[in-house]
Every structure is written in structure tokens, then in C-alpha cells.
Amino acid sequence: MSLKDQFGKDVLLTGWGHTRFGKLTEETLESLIVQVATEAIGNAGIEPGQIDEIYLGQFNSGMMPLAFPSSLALQVSDQLANVPSTRVENACASGSAAFQQGTKSLLAGTAKTVLVIGAEKMTQAGADVVGAALLGADYDMAGKASTTGFTGLFAEVAKHYGKRYGADTLGDVLGTIAAKNHRNGVDNPYAQLRKDLGEEFCRTVSDKNPVVADPLRRTDCSPVSDGAAAVVLSVAPTGGATAPVRLAGFGQANDFFPADRRDPTEFAATRTSWQRALAMAGVGVEDLDFAEVHDCFTIAELLMYEAMGLTERGQGARALAEGWVFKDGKLPVNVSGGLKAKGHPVGATGVSQHVIAAMQLTGTAGDMQLAGPRRAAVQNMGGVGIANYVSVLEAV
């Protein structure tokens, strides 16, 4: 069973575009959107007038005065006049939410070609504005003052995890994840942080790597970023610059919003989204060649090893100790550097993950390229495991 078996049609990624992530002071939200949309349409080998619908993933939450950006993509070409365009928001999962909405339009038959864009401008806002905006994605802390912001929320997850499964080595485990992703980010030309910091630095508290919210250090946290990515989805090949990539399955699951209704160490809805996507694709985690996952904080990646079924609960460190998730391991995770090194322009992240995976599956990932991958998973979430999306992609 696969998506095509279930719905009787293909969903193909036929073109894509990606900006560099980082502090892009020379760019505006509009220029970022126009850049990646133009690149994706050209890469797909189509004309702008062939786009039937547009979905834009963007969080914003007060980080920019412009709160109505859905028509910005029409600036690409006069041919896009009157094309339906919708902004999609689901916290840090806004990009994947837009991707799934585009997918559903194709499956419903209301469109044959959809442009999906993810974009965010964050660095122009002050730290207090960004912190308050991100906390708007938490039921208990929205609108409240906090000195640690969203880092504090994931620090609580790490404390619960350490208390339940052993805190003695947790700092070293999280440091290893950070070091892995920084090392991978060196090879990603789009990444914001392209420096191999080494395990010792990432594991050690220092003036350059202070504790942000105990036990999370600066190297355990993804940076504030600007950036955009776009992908064209089609029901048939479009004769683009590369072979298309097939969406084999997808899953979404939402958890309860109040923290007291969730086990902080389980990410139960995240696990369900993985199960749904893998079931639709008719594969298991052992059939994947790599994964791009949502490591907004290193503890999130550790929990993802367990949520995807790579290890049992509480045993995520095995995936590191036995080398599974490194670039030369049996399931490389975040070869792009992940959010940790690539950056995390919130609305762009989910689309970026799909673009990076498509590049890997078409052999066009440059220095990031793995040896002949055929199947990948992309996982993106909003809040502390609240809104969860997983896609399974395959080379055609």
C-alpha cells in the first residue's frame, strides 16, 4: 500500500528552490518568497501560468507588521494573477502544514499543479519580540513573561527525560547530537552555522557555550533565522531539471495543548504521525535511507529517535552510541545540519526539509550528498510535540 495505491494518483515534487538561511538583512519577506518561487517554477520546467494554487507557510505571530502575505508570490509573474493563494499557519510546522494542504488539493482533484512556499523573516525583530512570538505557541506560557522562552519549555522536557531515564550522561548525549549536526552543516551551502564545533565544545559549559535554560546550552538550541524554500507539487512529471520525487505517504497528528495532558518524554502525537506516514507508504523505519527531523533543540532530536521507532523509549542514546544516525550510519539523521546548524526560519523549515530530501533523492545535494538514497522521511512539528507532520519521499 502507498499513497498512489490509496488515492489512485501520484503526488510528485517536480521543482524546488531554497535560499541561504541566516541573518539576511538585505532581504525582505517579499524578496525571499519571490526568489524561491521563481527558482522552484523554473526548476520544474513549467510556466507560472500553469500553477493552479499556492500555499504559503508562515508563522509570524507579530514578528513582522505585515500579517497578510498570501499574495506576495504573485509578484513572481503577471501570469499568477487570480491564482488562489492561502497562508497556512501551524506554529513551527507551518511549512509542512502548507505542504500537506497542497498535497490534499492534488488528491482532491481541485488542482494539478501547486506551489508550496515556506518563508520567515525573524532577525529584524528584537529578542524579546521573537521570544514572545514563539511562546505564543504554548498553551501555558502564551502572553507571559519568560527569561528563557521556548528553550525553557524544552529544558523541562530534558529534565523530565533525565529524571526518568538517567540524567548523568544526558548532557553528553545532547552534546553529541549538537556536534553531529554542526559537523553536517559545514557541507550545506544554505546553512546558517557552518562550523564544526566538536563534541568537547558542545558538551562543555563555557563563556562561549553558556547554559540558556538548564540543562540546555547554547549549542543545544537552534538559531533565530531568515530564509525561504519552495516546492512545486504535481500529479505527473513536468520535464523539470531533475527527475521528480514521489510522496509515498504522509501523516499528521495533534496532541492536547495543555502540558498537564501530555507525557513530556513521550511525544505521543509525534509518534502517531510517524506511524500514519509509514503505514500509508507501506514501509517501516528500517526501509528509510535517511531522515530530516525537527531538532529545534537537541532533546527534540533525541526524542525523535524514539518516536520514529528507531529505538525503544528511553534508549535513544543507542542510536548515537552505535553510530546509526551519523552520515555513514544505517539511518543518517539531519545530514543538512538540521535546524540546529541550518537554521530555523519558522515557516520555512518544513518546506526546506522537503527540498533538502528531494535534492538527496535526485543526487543533486552537492557536498551533502549521500550514496544513492532511495527513500527518506521528513518530520516537522509545532510547539512541544503539539502539531506533528511526517512525509515519506521516494526516488522515482
Side-chain angles (χ1 to χ4, degrees):
M1 180 64 71
S2 67
L3 180 150
K4 186 175 183 180
D5 296 328
Q6 184 170 337
F7 295 99
K9 63 176 69 176
D10 258 331
V11 173
L12 301 175
L13 288 71
T14 53
W16 43 83
H18 203 297
T19 69
R20 182 173 62 86
F21 284 3
K23 187 173 184 178
L24 308 180
T25 55
E26 72 282 6
E27 302 286 358
T28 64
L29 182 66
E30 180 179 332
S31 69
L32 291 169
I33 288 171
V34 169
Q35 178 182 332
V36 294
T38 301
E39 186 179 349
I41 292 168
N43 185 254
I46 62 173
E47 294 297 321
Q50 293 174 258
I51 300 293
D52 299 314
E53 291 185 25
I54 300 169
Y55 288 96
L56 169 66
Q58 189 219 18
F59 178 52
N60 192 355
S61 191
M63 290 184 288
M64 286 195 66
L66 180 64
F68 183 44
S70 57
S71 280
L72 289 180
L74 274 59
Q75 300 293 87
V76 170
S77 169
D78 289 348
Q79 294 180 42
L80 291 175
N82 302 316
V83 171
S85 185
T86 305
R87 173 182 174 240
V88 180
E89 186 280 308
N90 220 358
C92 296
S94 295
S96 284
F99 181 92
Q100 283 201 14
Q101 289 304 116
T103 294
K104 290 173 182 177
S105 287
L106 298 184
L107 296 178
T110 58
K112 293 183 178 179
T113 306
V114 173
L115 175 63
V116 178
I117 305 165
E120 208 77 61
K121 273 286 288 179
M122 303 173 70
T123 65
Q124 77 290 334
D128 57 338
V129 174
V130 173
L134 296 177
L135 279 178
D138 186 73
Y139 180 88
D140 301 289
M141 289 301 298
K144 297 180 180 178
S146 171
T147 58
T148 57
F150 231 80
T151 308
L153 301 179
F154 275 87
E156 288 302 309
V157 172
K159 287 177 183 177
H160 282 287
Y161 189 94
K163 184 176 180 179
R164 184 172 297 182
Y165 299 115
D168 291 347
T169 60
L170 182 59
D172 285 350
V173 169
L174 299 183
T176 297
I177 292 173
K180 170 182 71 71
N181 292 348
H182 275 287
R183 190 180 311 118
N184 289 345
V186 172
D187 295 327
N188 183 354
Y190 305 120
Q192 181 170 354
L193 305 175
R194 300 186 67 188
K195 186 175 182 180
D196 184 355
L197 298 178
E199 285 199 21
E200 185 62 27
F201 180 84
C202 292
R203 288 178 167 189
T204 306
V205 176
S206 64
D207 290 342
K208 293 185 177 180
N209 190 26
V211 170
V212 179
D214 187 45
L216 301 183
R217 301 145 298 205
R218 181 177 291 164
T219 50
D220 293 308
C221 310
S222 58
V224 173
S225 316
D226 306 327
V231 62
V232 173
L233 301 179
S234 310
V235 294
T238 58
T242 69
V245 170
R246 176 177 289 113
L247 177 64
F250 62 89
Q252 178 190 355
N254 272 53
D255 211 335
F256 294 106
F257 211 3
D260 62 9
R261 299 201 64 183
R262 291 178 274 116
D263 181 334
T265 69
E266 184 175 3
F267 280 31
T270 311
R271 183 183 298 269
T272 299
S273 65
W274 274 99
Q275 293 169 342
R276 288 174 176 169
L278 292 170
M280 183 184 290
V283 300
V285 68
E286 67 278 2
D287 298 309
L288 301 175
D289 294 312
F290 68 95
E292 288 288 323
V293 308
H294 193 97
D295 63 322
C296 50
F297 301 93
T298 51
I299 183 63
E301 179 168 327
L302 181 64
L303 281 165
M304 214 51 57
Y305 302 157
E306 301 171 16
M308 73 170 73
L310 190 58
T311 75
E312 296 296 322
R313 288 183 63 187
Q315 298 181 22
R318 284 188 60 206
L320 295 158
E322 300 185 23
W324 303 345
V325 295
F326 292 91
K327 194 169 183 178
D328 58 353
K330 69 178 184 180
L331 183 64
V333 172
N334 286 336
V335 174
S336 68
L339 286 59
K340 175 78 268 294
K342 183 178 61 176
H344 184 27
V346 177
T349 287
V351 182
S352 166
Q353 291 172 313
H354 285 84
V355 169
I356 294 294
M359 292 171 64
Q360 286 284 359
L361 293 170
T362 54
T364 58
D367 290 341
M368 292 184 285
Q369 187 64 52
L370 295 167
R374 301 295 299 171
R375 185 179 292 115
V378 166
Q379 180 272 330
N380 186 203
M381 71 180 178
V384 186
I386 303 297
N388 303 274
Y389 296 83
V390 175
S391 300
V392 178
L393 305 178
E394 295 178 343
V396 175

